Amino acid sequence: MQEQENLYDPAAVEAAAQKFWNESRAFEVKEDPSKPKFFCLSMLPYPSGALHMGHVRNYTIGDVISRYQRMLGKNVLQPMGWDAFGLPAENAAIKNNTAPAKWTYANIDHMRAQLKTMGYAIDWSREFATCRPDYYVHEQRMFVRLFKKGLAYRKNSVVNWDPVDQTVLANEQVIDGRGWRTGALVERREIPQWFLKITDYADQLLDGLDKLPGWPDAVKTMQRNWIGRSEGLEIQFGVEGESEPLTVFTTRPDTLMGVTFLSIAPEHPLALQAAKTNPKLSAFIEECRHVAASEAVVETAEKKGVETGLHAIHPISGEKLPIWVANFVLMGYGTGAVMAVPGHDERDWEFATKYDLLIKMVIVSDAVRDAIRELGREAEGNQDPMSAALGQSRAIDVVEAPSALSIVEDFENKIITDGAYTEYGTVVNSGELDGKNYREAFDYLAEKLQREGKGAKRINYRLRDWGVSRQRYWGCPIPIVYCPKCDAVPVPEDQLPVVLPEDVQFMGVQSPIKADPNWRKTTCPQCGGPAERETDTFDTFMESSWYYARYTSPGAKTQVDERANYWLPVDQYIGGIEHAILHLLYFRFYHKLMRDAGLVHSDEPATNLLCQGMVIAETFYREDANGNRDWINPADVEIQRDDKARIVGAILKSDGKPVQIGGIEKMSKSKNNGVDPQAMVSKFGADTVRLFSMFAAPPEHSLDWREAGVEGMARFLRRLWRDLHAHVAQPDHPEVDPRMLNATQKTLRRQIHETIAKVSDDYGRRLSFNTAIAAVMELLNAVGKFDDMSDQGGAVRHEAFEAIVLLLNPITPHIGHALWAALGHTEPVIDVAWPKADPAALAKDAVTLAVQVNGKLRGQIEVAVNAAREEIEQAALADEGVIKFVAGQTVKKIIIVPGKIVNIVVG
Ligand code: ANZ
Ligand code: ZN
């Protein structure tokens, strides 16, 4: 009997705890205005087939925070759902000849069962899959409303076209410019697609970041850069022989007098016009059309261009400037035209150097500005040397002032031969602008050009409208009908949802709804005539932008109901850093759309954000004769380590022969280094897996999965189980009575309460779980060394075990459930309040002082913290070690360093 209890059996302990939580519906919550709420949300999983370690890490972090907040007395909502639409289901359908729906639902069932073995405190009554019509109907309704508000619109946009399969490919399906299945060269095609006007919210999305102190700076910076607000001027250049001016957008109007040519995008109307009579130009434009126009490509590709033969007129100097078509100018940004300043812009410099165009210096550094000033003074002896020198910089040539002159010349030569000077500085060689700094030149020109009708201030965003059309099947149908008479007509709300048929047969990659004329055929909601349905579906980011809100309002007929305003905003959001930009931007945007539709009252969807790091692991492989690597799963490998735990070799378990070691990398299918969470849970139990994933690294860092580390966690839990049961097997002891404690008992009790204080801070403020666990481990070590079998000794030990169980409970809730009962409690541990550090126990009422005699350490004394000087002196002189060194001598002086040292000077 006794023996049995000393054995920790995770499978039995976990099954019992989970049964209890299920039967008591422990984590189902309702709105309760009497309690502070806490909405803890982890990013919902894509049902790919099986849980991976990344999920386990994400959901364990969320669960630890949820359980901790619950113990603080909050009404905690932790939901779970499935991001169920998306391409992998279609790929699997094509490969295995099943319907995407069937594959998806089977995966969900499997992964739900896997998640349940982890013991997460999830309110499963709120679960949903985003591929169900009762979920996406709300998304369709919102889209119809956005359409009516002008926030959803259709325009032509480029897609990847596979000419063999005759279908559009997603970016992920284009590999090195070729279709993933056919290997055919992908073409760019323009087709009409739907967009949401996220650009209307650019300013709000940007300004809102300043009101999110609970978001990591790195994420906010990435979002700012993505939105990319730039303040500049639009400037009009006349074009020789044309009535329409050419408008450019520049963020550096201060460089205006350094413009030596203009560059326009290949798709710019002026380029297309010039190409009609210029075969070389039209060939170049055609060439550009075949290169994917993504910004990244444009940024890295070699700069290329062709002259149009047209000339622009400089708005101030009247100079004639050649107009070039350049491959790095994007039609979709600004005006699609750039005033080129090769002296101060790197891309223009590269271009000018390649095509031998003029490079002018019009901005100088402070040192060069000072040199110019000096030259000016020498040249003119002028009271206003700055304007003299800067206004007539040609005068520099005739002045004899080698040092200042060479500074200026060197600077100019460097710009011409080495590269553009891109910093802000002082304007030179620019007539009326000379001597101005960036801001002054900006404001001066903004005013002047505006007055002359040649320019205006302008704010541009890098952010583009959100293209939500996908030419795929497994997504939410876009609720639009095309009528030959009425054009695009939204499906009336009472006819929603437009249901995606689930029982379909895949013929090749073509979307089954595109292939089915019966599905497409409908009547126009406006004129009643024959019409066709839109067969594109939404980008799956649509579903994941508002799912968090749906959790608050299960069963609501509307997208969300009043319950949303009890739970929102999310208090803690947890997910991967790979979602730092797009998902989190759409998530914030959609919240503002719902706010503006009157559905929610807050401005931002989530107050705090935690981005967890990757899970990484060692990789192993064998190379075949052709040098191809066959990656071997770590589970099939036996690792040999040296005494410092460094890996020195590895063998394949099945044949006992060595395998190559490939280094630590993110767990992935391609490197076959994923560790199956299910196998780990079966072998060690969920608590051990949870404990390891929280202990091995701080949440934002990479987590290096090592089975040896997992084994260490299992040993720790076994020891806790054994020690705690050994304690409760002892005869009864009274309650702790602080007045009765001796020094050792007090010391252990202080450590208990110090640990409570530290762990509380680690869980709550720092979100630093590994240090919290380390502190609890130290406490268990201290309990192990505490062999006091007295009444009060037993009482303090009991307090220590209670603290350990409670402090670990958010991380290892199953063993927590069992051990709390073992400590004699009938109330389940999930309902117990988080322990509070007792200030009285924390107070250090005694300090230890080192005692020196003539600077040499001779003894140690304990005194009260507030002990008077005489008391300390007496205690020091009475110390056994000290007495013999003082005996027979005269004490000349006693120096006390408070809290540390007493030095007795004798002689
Ligand atoms: C002249 C100039 C001089 C510029 C200089 C920069 C430095 P951001 O900050 O990203 O808004 N530009 C404008 N439209 C462009 C387009 N469609 N494609 C490529 N480049 C474009 O960048 C604004 C700057 O990028 C603009 O300011 C323009 O070059 C270029 F010393 O004008 B600048
Ligand atoms: Zn019609």
Side-chain angles (χ1 to χ4, degrees), residues 288 388 406 669 730 750 793 862:
C288 293
S406 67
K669 282 212 180 87
Q730 294 298 316
R750 187 181 317 122
E862 283 240 329

Side-chain angles (χ1 to χ4, degrees), residues 287-300:
E287 180 192 327
C288 293
R289 214 193 289 282
H290 286 288
V291 182
S294 90
E295 237 171 276
V297 172
V298 173
E299 295 290 336
T300 52

Side-chain angles (χ1 to χ4, degrees), residues 481-487 489 523-531:
V481 163
Y482 297 106
C483 167
K485 286 196 209 120
C486 318
D487 197 27
V489 181
T523 51
C524 170
Q526 208 158 289
C527 71

Side-chain angles (χ1 to χ4, degrees), residues 128-382:
F128 55 72
T130 60
C131 61
R132 297 280 190 192
D134 60 358
Y135 180 82
Y136 63 68
V137 62
H138 304 293
E139 191 171 306
Q140 292 180 336
R141 190 186 312 110
M142 180 62 120
F143 182 80
V144 166
R145 292 185 181 180
L146 293 175
F147 174 89
K148 289 178 183 161
K149 277 199 200 170
L151 285 169
Y153 66 95
R154 195 163 61 126
K155 73 167 184 202
N156 279 348
S157 165
V158 176
V159 294
N160 308 306
W161 179 258
D162 185 323
V164 173
D165 265 347
Q166 292 283 303
T167 185
V168 175
L169 299 179
N171 286 335
E172 311 86 278
Q173 296 173 313
V174 180
I175 297 157
D176 297 331
R178 292 172 183 275
W180 63 301
R181 269 165 48 88
T182 61
L185 268 183
V186 168
E187 293 170 12
R188 280 154 43 93
R189 272 215 178 174
E190 282 212 354
I191 59 169
Q193 304 198 60
W194 289 95
F195 287 83
L196 294 190
K197 259 199 195 159
I198 191 173
T199 51
D200 270 16
Y201 286 74
D203 262 329
Q204 288 189 46
L205 288 167
L206 194 63
D207 296 344
L209 293 172
D210 297 332
K211 291 172 222 149
L212 290 173
W215 281 41
D217 288 332
V219 171
K220 289 188 279 190
T221 301
M222 283 189 263
Q223 295 224 340
R224 276 190 198 103
N225 292 341
W226 188 260
I227 297 167
R229 182 183 194 274
S230 331
E231 221 181 305
L233 295 188
E234 272 185 10
I235 302 179
Q236 293 172 2
F237 286 69
V239 182
E240 227 179 28
E242 300 284 330
S243 52
E244 287 291 305
L246 177 60
T247 305
V248 303
F249 171 70
T250 178
T251 49
R252 292 294 304 271
D254 56 324
T255 65
L256 182 58
M257 301 313 287
V259 177
T260 58
F261 61 99
L262 278 83
S263 304
I264 60 177
E267 303 93 334
H268 195 285
L270 204 56
L272 299 177
Q273 185 198 314
K276 283 184 194 151
T277 55
N278 184 339
K280 190 180 169 202
L281 181 57
S282 91
F284 178 66
I285 293 173
E286 189 53 30
E287 180 192 327
C288 293
R289 214 193 289 282
H290 286 288
V291 182
S294 90
E295 237 171 276
V297 172
V298 173
E299 295 290 336
T300 52
E302 189 199 347
K303 314 264 171 305
K304 274 193 203 165
V306 170
E307 238 182 314
T308 60
L310 297 167
H311 287 86
I313 312 295
H314 193 284
I316 292 185
S317 70
E319 225 176 318
K320 265 176 65 172
L321 306 166
I323 301 177
W324 285 69
V325 173
N327 66 346
F328 63 87
V329 181
L330 300 164
M331 194 56 218
Y333 186 66
T335 61
V338 177
M339 60 178 223
V341 186
H344 303 287
D345 181 89
E346 274 167 24
R347 290 182 299 181
D348 298 343
W349 186 91
E350 231 183 278
F351 197 83
T353 305
K354 180 165 178 178
Y355 295 108
D356 216 7
L357 299 161
L358 201 60
I359 301 176
K360 280 189 188 174
M361 172 184 81
V362 293
I363 304 290
V364 295
S365 67
D366 288 358
V368 177
R369 178 202 59 201
D370 294 344
I372 292 175
R373 272 189 193 154
E374 195 182 311
L375 289 171
R377 263 196 300 275
E378 287 167 15
E380 305 280 325
N382 198 304

Side-chain angles (χ1 to χ4, degrees), residues 554-577:
K557 290 276 175 290
T558 47
Q559 192 153 19
V560 296
D561 59 24
E562 252 320 296
R563 291 173 287 174
N565 289 312
Y566 172 80
W567 292 110
L568 293 176
V570 169
D571 295 275
Q572 179 69 61
Y573 196 24
I574 305 136
I577 189 75

Side-chain angles (χ1 to χ4, degrees), residues 482-530:
Y482 297 106
C483 167
K485 286 196 209 120
C486 318
D487 197 27
V489 181
V491 176
E493 289 188 22
D494 60 8
Q495 289 174 31
L496 296 177
V498 176
V499 177
L500 184 76
E502 294 192 345
D503 186 15
V504 294
Q505 196 80 47
F506 256 80
M507 316 287 239
V509 285
Q510 177 75 282
S511 161
I513 56 172
K514 286 188 190 289
D516 178 358
N518 288 329
W519 190 83
R520 294 204 310 260
K521 213 169 77 189
T522 184
T523 51
C524 170
Q526 208 158 289
C527 71

